[in-house]
Amino acid sequence: DEIVALIMDLVVTDESDHVLDPGCGSGGFLVGAYNRLDELKSNGDHESTLDQLHGTDINRFPAHLAAINLAIRDLSNETHNVNVLVEDFFQVNPQQDTVTARERASVGTNAEGTSSDGLDIPPNVDAVVGNPPYIRQENISEDVPAREHLEELGVDLDDRSDIYCYFFTHGFQFLDDGSDGGPGRLGYLTSNRWLTVGYGEDLQDFFLNHTKIKAIIDFRTQQFAV
């Protein structure tokens, strides 16, 4: 929780920020974003804050847990919709006006209608956050189009890259370019292997050529229970 709060302090800087977690799991980072927005707002509204939060996860069970964990932030208000999709993040692109996913995570009054039927994910968000999955290159399913966005972005990553590397580059595509305000910010909790292994060189080049690095925090002790 402390690491999530630290990342939110760094990347969620305004009460109007929209936040995307592309691999949201059970919603730890989205809950952290909710709490951060609640801190920034002088008079926060539960539904309006939920409208600023967006998540995708390829697995149904954690996606629905994320929806529930967001809904219970305020039990005094009825929650109608939570913007969490059951979908592969690499099937979503910022050029889509409306994303029609396999399923929309349900909660409250939308429990009987879980089809997304069209859910807006903003083409530009203020912050992309999360703890992307770790899947070695040889274990990435052929059905997951993790590399398709690279040509459009005009970059290349080593074929040996772990899938979390592609969450950096594809997540970058959703960030606001700053033309109508401050530039978007990306904050991930992820493996540090890209700092030392061969495939990480391309990702390092991507960061240097396309971003302004605010902080890289490398923990020297185990952060998760084994």
Side-chain angles (χ1 to χ4, degrees), residues 39-119:
E39 290 176 2
L40 293 170
K41 295 181 178 184
S42 57
N43 187 19
D45 173 78
H46 179 61
E47 289 283 348
S48 67
T49 299
L50 291 180
D51 286 342
Q52 295 170 240
L53 304 176
H54 313 271
T56 66
D57 200 278
I58 198 169
N59 293 316
R60 175 179 294 107
F61 181 66
H64 284 267
L65 284 179
I68 293 169
N69 286 329
L70 286 170
I72 63 175
R73 293 307 98 199
D74 185 350
L75 292 176
S76 65
N77 286 286
E78 186 175 1
T79 298
H80 298 283
N81 288 303
V82 176
N83 300 321
V84 176
L85 293 181
V86 181
E87 186 56 274
D88 177 358
F89 177 53
F90 298 108
Q91 298 283 6
V92 181
N93 68 73
Q95 282 71 46
Q96 289 175 273
D97 293 330
T98 302
V99 178
T100 302
R102 291 177 295 160
E103 187 175 342
R104 177 176 182 159
S106 61
V107 66
T109 56
N110 77 343
E112 294 182 0
T114 58
S115 172
S116 68
D117 290 333
L119 176 65

Side-chain angles (χ1 to χ4, degrees), residues 13-212:
T13 60
D14 189 90
E15 65 179 37
S16 65
D17 282 354
H18 279 255
V19 183
L20 169 66
D21 184 342
C24 66
S26 59
F29 273 82
L30 290 177
V31 168
Y34 183 104
N35 294 337
R36 174 62 173 158
L37 289 170
D38 195 47
E39 290 176 2
L40 293 170
K41 295 181 178 184
S42 57
N43 187 19
D45 173 78
H46 179 61
E47 289 283 348
S48 67
T49 299
L50 291 180
D51 286 342
Q52 295 170 240
L53 304 176
H54 313 271
T56 66
D57 200 278
I58 198 169
N59 293 316
R60 175 179 294 107
F61 181 66
H64 284 267
L65 284 179
I68 293 169
N69 286 329
L70 286 170
I72 63 175
R73 293 307 98 199
D74 185 350
L75 292 176
S76 65
N77 286 286
E78 186 175 1
T79 298
H80 298 283
N81 288 303
V82 176
N83 300 321
V84 176
L85 293 181
V86 181
E87 186 56 274
D88 177 358
F89 177 53
F90 298 108
Q91 298 283 6
V92 181
N93 68 73
Q95 282 71 46
Q96 289 175 273
D97 293 330
T98 302
V99 178
T100 302
R102 291 177 295 160
E103 187 175 342
R104 177 176 182 159
S106 61
V107 66
T109 56
N110 77 343
E112 294 182 0
T114 58
S115 172
S116 68
D117 290 333
L119 176 65
D120 291 335
I121 289 184
N124 299 114
V125 296
D126 303 285
V128 175
V129 299
N131 175 209
Y134 312 144
I135 306 175
R136 294 169 62 93
Q137 169 268 325
E138 61 269 24
N139 294 324
I140 299 174
S141 171
E142 293 182 359
D143 296 333
V144 176
R147 295 183 59 85
E148 286 188 3
H149 68 283
L150 294 178
E151 182 176 357
E152 181 180 344
L153 192 57
V155 301
D156 193 19
L157 295 182
D158 193 301
D159 290 342
R160 298 169 295 171
S161 296
D162 191 293
I163 201 167
Y164 71 82
C165 298
Y166 304 112
F167 273 80
F168 275 110
T169 51
H170 193 36
F172 172 82
Q173 290 185 292
F174 286 83
L175 291 178
D176 193 299
D177 62 7
S179 58
D180 56 356
R185 299 163 297 278
L186 187 150
Y188 280 168
L189 170 62
T190 191
S191 168
N192 62 1
R193 287 179 57 82
W194 63 274
L195 291 167
T196 57
V197 297
Y199 70 69
E201 293 180 5
D202 286 343
L203 187 59
Q204 293 174 37
D205 286 341
F206 169 76
F207 290 144
L208 291 172
N209 294 329
H210 294 82
T211 74
K212 181 177 182 180

